Amino acid sequence: KGEGLKALEGRKWDAVVDTSGYVPRVVRASAELLAPHVQHYTFVSSISVYKDLSRQGLDETATVATVEDATTEDVEKHYGALKALCEQAAETAMPGRVFNVRPGLIVGPDDPS
């Protein structure tokens, strides 16, 4: 458990919206800590989780990207696969209580995308 998660200990919430998960280790740590204290966990993932974005009509049943080394934290190289692993980490920590949102680009002021 990272020092940054101490602020979450001993509190309860109706729901959590995780907009900052990029590596499974971090999502796993926060989801496991929060699991006994929250009813619902929304994870903002990415459309990049899909293995083949050239296909039309993708839905949540489409195959997701994978990475050979599941411990890698090279987000720049394995962004989509790591987001897919983050979804899995949250679901493992809170079975049946996770909603994964897979949007396209979400940008704002000063975003270089």
Side-chain angles (χ1 to χ4, degrees), residues 74-92:
D74 187 344
V75 176
E76 189 173 322
K77 187 173 181 183
H78 302 291
Y79 177 75
L82 288 174
K83 280 291 206 175
L85 289 172
C86 287
E87 291 178 4
Q88 294 168 21
E91 182 62 32
T92 298

Side-chain angles (χ1 to χ4, degrees), residues 45-88:
S45 186
S46 170
I47 195 170
S48 296
V49 300
Y50 295 114
K51 184 175 183 174
D52 182 5
L53 286 169
S54 68
R55 289 188 37 226
Q56 294 288 321
L58 293 173
D59 65 17
E60 65 277 359
T61 64
T63 304
V64 297
T66 58
V67 61
E68 192 170 308
D69 176 9
T71 65
T72 184
E73 294 191 359
D74 187 344
V75 176
E76 189 173 322
K77 187 173 181 183
H78 302 291
Y79 177 75
L82 288 174
K83 280 291 206 175
L85 289 172
C86 287
E87 291 178 4
Q88 294 168 21

